[in-house]
Amino acid sequence: MSTAQRRARPRPVSAGFRALVTSPAGGFGVAVVVLLVLSAGLSFLWTPFDPQLTDPFAKWLPPSPQHLLGTDEVGRDIFSLLLVGARVTVAVAAGSAVVSTVIGVALAALGSLTRRWVRETVAVLIDILIAFPTLLIAMMIASVFGGSLWVVIWAVGISFGVNIARVTRPEIRRVSHSEYVLAGKAAGLGPVRNLTRHLLPNIAPVFIVQLSWSMAVAVLAEAGLSYLGYGAPSSVPSWGRMLSELQTYLAVHPLSVLWPGLAITITVLALNLLGDALRDATDPTLGRGAASTPTSPQGVTA
């Protein structure tokens, strides 16, 4: 086996996971994502107070053992609202990741493994769709179907699915000419089997980074659309809606706006750092194996 083939071997799962959690960026990203998922799950079973319960005699209470983060303008417990709002964040991030994965892989495969006229048509379609910003796509969908979480999920899924296709299409084209892919074809593997067995695992580092970015943008898009009134319904607490409702009181009670803003910022930062750490942990050309190689396939100096 050649040196290049040994370097191209995927890292064992245990080694990749250990490299992920021991890196500062990966450890921070994993910790925040786990905390976010646990908070969303916990909110189905328990919250300190009913997030929809208003109490005019408990308005603007400061943080205390009873109300950990204080209360808002109608006496609702901010900590309870943040816990329930985590459900929306997790649902939007996970849902948009699924949609963008399906769209991105389908377009990338069609744009790299099919006949020339299909590839050129897909390339033109990607160029057209990529010109539309995520929020604009969401507002266009919302104008037809009304504002909801599904609007955010589909808008981010379509927008970043196209981005994923644009980035991964040349990678699939490059890997499709590799010897092991050609050997798979000679052995009778069909296009779908070759795609799932050889092509996708070898473009995983690039794909993972794009997917983590799509999840981060989904969190920001949900916050922005809820702020504009296109996101979650008013009956569903979300971090973006909390920002929208509390911005009026920013000069008087700035601490109340800090909590949802901080939650959004930390979540987006964690998803971006986690994507970079996952790329480093899963890419066999990075790290010790690439020590003698001046440049990685993505053009990053080792």
Side-chain angles (χ1 to χ4, degrees):
M1 184 181 292
S2 67
T3 303
Q5 287 175 318
R6 285 197 298 270
R7 283 181 190 146
R9 263 187 182 168
R11 293 178 180 173
V13 174
S14 58
F17 180 75
R18 188 161 51 249
L20 173 66
V21 297
T22 54
S23 69
F28 174 76
V30 169
V32 171
V33 170
V34 169
L35 180 61
L36 178 66
V37 173
L38 290 177
S39 299
L42 178 64
S43 68
F44 285 102
L45 305 174
W46 172 85
T47 55
F49 295 88
D50 183 348
Q52 300 293 357
L53 178 65
T54 61
D55 184 357
F57 299 103
K59 295 190 299 183
W60 300 124
L61 293 179
S64 66
Q66 185 179 13
H67 297 280
L68 293 179
L69 303 180
T71 60
D72 63 8
E73 77 280 9
V74 292
R76 294 176 299 184
D77 182 63
I78 292 179
F79 182 64
S80 299
L81 287 170
L82 284 177
L83 282 179
V84 177
R87 300 181 199 171
V88 174
T89 301
V90 171
V92 168
S96 63
V98 172
V99 173
S100 60
T101 297
V102 172
I103 292 176
V105 170
L107 288 178
L110 287 174
S112 56
L113 303 177
T114 52
R115 296 180 181 275
R116 181 176 178 180
W117 69 269
V118 178
R119 297 200 304 268
E120 292 177 351
T121 303
V122 170
V124 172
L125 178 63
I126 290 175
D127 290 339
I128 293 173
L129 291 177
I130 209 168
F132 291 90
T134 301
L135 285 179
L136 180 58
I137 293 175
M139 294 176 72
M140 291 168 59
I141 298 175
S143 65
V144 178
F145 299 102
S148 69
L149 287 182
W150 287 108
V151 167
V152 182
I153 289 172
W154 278 102
V156 177
I158 292 171
S159 179
F160 257 84
V162 174
N163 274 281
I164 288 173
R166 180 178 62 84
V167 174
T168 58
R169 186 166 61 96
E171 290 295 311
I172 290 180
R173 290 278 295 169
R174 178 182 62 82
V175 175
S176 65
H177 296 294
S178 301
E179 292 181 1
Y180 52 86
V181 176
L182 298 177
K185 290 180 180 178
L189 288 181
V192 175
R193 187 86 181 275
N194 238 331
L195 179 69
T196 57
R197 184 171 179 178
H198 293 304
L199 298 178
L200 292 183
N202 281 280
I203 65 166
V206 176
F207 178 78
I208 286 171
V209 173
Q210 291 296 316
L211 194 59
S212 69
W213 285 347
S214 75
M215 296 174 72
V217 169
V219 175
L220 282 177
E222 186 280 322
L225 290 169
S226 294
Y227 184 87
L228 296 172
Y230 288 100
S234 57
S235 59
V236 179
S238 75
W239 296 346
R241 189 168 296 282
M242 289 176 67
L243 281 176
S244 177
E245 293 173 348
L246 294 171
Q247 67 163 344
T248 309
Y249 310 97
L250 179 60
V252 185
H253 299 281
L255 196 61
S256 63
V257 184
L258 170 67
W259 305 122
L262 196 60
I264 294 170
T265 302
I266 291 176
T267 301
V268 171
L269 177 63
L271 287 171
N272 279 301
L273 291 177
L274 181 60
D276 290 340
L278 279 169
R279 177 198 58 195
D280 296 341
T282 57
D283 192 341
T285 63
L286 297 176
R288 298 163 92 186
S292 61
T293 307
T295 307
S296 70
Q298 285 76 37
V300 180
T301 302

